[in-house]
Amino acid sequence: MKKVKTILFTLVMMLVVFGVIVAILRWKSLERKKKLEREVQVIERVLDTSKKISQKWEEGATSSEWKDIGKYCPDLQLKDIVDISYSKCNSEFLNCYLENNSSLGIIKNSKGKYYSVLSRQNSLEENISAFSLRVQVQLDDSVYNIDLEDTCRDTYLPRKSYGYKTKTSPKRKFDWTWDNFNRNIYVDKFLVTNREVNEWIETLGLNIEKKFPLERPSVFLSLDEMKKYCAFKGKSLASAQVVEAASFYPSGSSDKAGRTLIRYDYPWTRRSGDSFLFKMKRDSDLPLTKFDCEKAYVQDCFEVTPFISHMTKSSSWSGIFQVMGGPFEAYENSLEPKENLRASSFYFPAQSSVHMLGEKLYWDGVAHLDKNIDWKKEKPAGVDGRSLEIGFRCMRNMYE
């Protein structure tokens, strides 16, 4: 009997121990489940925050925000009339948005900003893009990085056959053609701005004078500095061939290699007679309108309407802007090194022959005085001794 009791006692103890073990395992399982649920909730919150910030980064300001942008975002320090597109992929505008939406939980850094610039030139991190903004969000006790790439800045150059206007090109035709069937080319939509260049100067601690207002094109760098800036962005200085390809209205035969390409003089039409610049060459008494100046801001436009940065009413067929008029634009040009400056600018009157696509001057790339430019056929009045504005844009190639 005593033996039976001992066995029963042992069985009971075993059941108790087993029950305790099962209870502990169930408790641990529930804890793991709760922990996993908390982690899933945090991830969902991070993804939701990332989606909101990414969307604002790419879309920029709403019309109501832009209407009162001086109050909503004093960091932009706007001095001129600027198109709303300027707020897209704009670090200063994003900073204002994060400042005005503290509930997102974004961490302010030691410089008082809600973002930091991340570049391969200032970071040893692996697997990062050439240039991005990093925003850090804190949820519970963890910090998560949200990296934002500049997806607004450039436009894709479709795969076609293109022509380049050389000094010896015959009328209406190209004597030098190329294609991009084996690569993807992206070119900046706008000229690089002071804001972007100042950001480069600050990030790398360069001994280069910052320029203002922030929204205006950066027009006082040397040619070497332009190339270094583009390299900072993981790009190169845009070539004359690529910018002109993105500007010349394409021929109907440009979709296949080896076809004859027709050259058109203006970026908005195949019919020269439809362009106000063509008409004004033949009749200088024709009035210049605000609409005309929105397409090409030539010298006469100063008396008609203010120059607008990031003007989007002057688009070429490919979606790049500021291709005629405004400040000069410097190019990379290995094919014709002495043809590296777009001639069409606000230094020439509307009647000037330089206001056609493919017309180029030569700039030595050192200083911005009239003596640093080879004016060739026509030197405009009023440029002697002046500091001349020369802008630029960047491009990138992706080979297959």
Side-chain angles (χ1 to χ4, degrees):
M1 189 71 174
K2 185 177 180 181
K3 187 176 182 180
V4 171
K5 288 182 178 180
T6 301
I7 294 171
L8 288 174
F9 177 77
T10 302
L11 289 172
V12 170
M13 289 302 296
M14 288 176 65
L15 288 172
V16 170
V17 171
F18 180 75
V20 171
I21 292 172
V22 169
I24 291 173
L25 290 175
R26 288 190 63 188
W27 178 79
K28 287 185 176 180
S29 178
L30 287 172
E31 285 299 306
R32 282 198 297 268
K33 183 179 179 183
K34 290 179 181 178
K35 183 180 179 182
L36 184 61
E37 288 176 346
R38 286 195 299 270
E39 289 176 350
V40 169
Q41 290 173 356
V42 169
I43 291 172
E44 288 177 344
R45 287 166 63 192
V46 171
L47 290 174
D48 182 61
T49 301
S50 177
K51 183 178 179 181
K52 289 179 180 178
I53 294 174
S54 298
Q55 184 174 354
K56 196 63 178 177
W57 168 249
E58 294 178 358
E59 294 181 356
T62 63
S63 55
S64 59
E65 290 168 346
W66 195 250
K67 186 177 181 180
D68 196 17
I69 194 62
K71 182 178 180 180
Y72 182 85
C73 189
D75 291 353
L76 286 177
Q77 304 176 49
L78 295 181
K79 303 295 183 184
D80 298 335
I81 300 173
V82 188
D83 188 83
I84 192 173
S85 62
Y86 177 68
S87 64
K88 295 181 179 181
C89 296
N90 184 311
S91 57
E92 295 295 347
F93 176 76
L94 180 70
N95 195 68
C96 292
Y97 169 73
L98 298 176
E99 180 83 50
N100 293 325
N101 290 270
S102 57
S103 61
L104 292 172
I106 306 304
I107 301 172
K108 184 181 285 189
N109 63 28
S110 59
K111 295 181 179 179
K113 298 285 187 180
Y114 287 95
Y115 68 89
S116 57
V117 176
L118 194 63
S119 167
R120 290 176 187 166
Q121 292 190 10
N122 76 334
S123 175
L124 296 177
E125 279 192 51
E126 297 181 354
N127 302 318
I128 61 173
S129 60
F131 174 87
S132 62
L133 291 192
R134 173 164 290 177
V135 173
Q136 293 188 312
V137 57
Q138 182 163 3
L139 295 174
D140 295 338
D141 297 326
S142 300
V143 175
Y144 301 87
N145 294 330
I146 301 173
D147 291 350
L148 303 167
E149 293 188 46
D150 189 344
T151 56
C152 321
R153 183 84 190 134
D154 49 29
T155 189
Y156 176 69
L157 185 66
R159 294 187 175 190
K160 290 178 179 288
S161 291
Y162 294 103
Y164 166 72
K165 184 179 179 181
T166 68
K167 292 182 291 184
T168 58
S169 289
K171 187 176 181 181
R172 303 283 291 170
K173 292 184 180 180
F174 298 102
D175 62 356
W176 195 87
T177 60
W178 63 283
D179 67 69
N180 62 335
F181 293 125
N182 67 333
R183 55 180 165 151
N184 295 315
I185 299 176
Y186 299 85
V187 59
D188 285 357
K189 296 176 185 176
F190 298 95
L191 299 180
V192 175
T193 64
N194 285 329
R195 180 193 67 79
E196 294 166 300
V197 169
N198 289 355
E199 191 170 68
W200 166 58
I201 294 171
E202 290 177 7
T203 302
L204 299 186
L206 302 174
N207 186 26
I208 299 175
E209 182 184 356
K210 295 180 185 178
K211 297 293 184 180
F212 300 88
L214 296 175
E215 65 273 15
R216 289 185 186 171
S218 175
V219 291
F220 293 112
L221 293 183
S222 69
L223 190 62
D224 184 57
E225 288 168 342
M226 293 175 181
K227 293 177 181 180
K228 289 179 178 177
Y229 167 83
C230 290
F232 169 73
K233 288 296 188 95
K235 302 179 181 182
S236 59
L237 180 64
S239 70
Q241 291 74 33
V242 167
V243 175
E244 290 185 6
S247 305
F248 278 114
Y249 213 107
S251 300
S253 57
S254 61
D255 290 331
K256 294 183 179 181
R259 301 288 185 87
T260 300
L261 304 180
I262 305 300
R263 192 180 77 238
Y264 305 103
D265 291 330
Y266 304 101
W268 322 287
T269 178
R270 290 190 174 109
R271 292 172 55 88
S272 295
D274 292 340
S275 172
F276 76 95
L277 292 169
F278 180 87
K279 294 174 182 177
M280 294 192 75
K281 286 177 188 176
R282 282 149 180 75
D283 186 356
S284 59
D285 292 329
L286 284 175
L288 194 65
T289 68
K290 180 181 177 181
F291 178 76
D292 295 332
C293 294
E294 288 173 346
K295 285 186 170 295
Y297 199 89
V298 296
Q299 187 183 71
D300 315 65
C301 290
F302 285 108
E303 299 178 2
V304 178
T305 185
F307 177 75
I308 298 179
S309 297
H310 269 246
M311 168 58 70
T312 56
K313 295 180 181 179
S314 60
S315 176
S316 72
W317 74 274
S318 65
I320 70 169
F321 305 90
Q322 300 166 304
V323 296
M324 295 189 77
F328 290 120
E329 179 177 352
Y331 303 133
E332 179 68 65
N333 195 346
S334 57
L335 181 65
E336 292 184 306
K338 296 293 185 180
E339 303 278 313
N340 69 346
L341 192 71
R342 167 168 53 80
S344 177
S345 64
F346 49 37
Y347 293 105
F348 290 93
Q351 296 80 17
S352 172
S353 61
V354 305
H355 295 302
M356 293 190 297
L357 291 175
E359 291 296 309
K360 294 177 283 291
L361 307 174
Y362 171 65
W363 174 45
D364 66 12
V366 180
H368 290 246
L369 299 176
D370 63 294
K371 65 182 180 181
N372 299 99
I373 295 176
D374 179 358
W375 297 96
K376 302 185 179 179
K377 297 180 296 183
E378 180 182 354
K379 183 178 180 179
V383 297
D384 290 348
R386 289 179 59 186
S387 186
L388 304 174
E389 298 185 13
I390 302 175
F392 69 104
R393 71 183 82 216
C394 306
M395 59 172 276
R396 57 191 173 99
N397 284 299
M398 295 181 65
Y399 289 89
E400 293 185 340

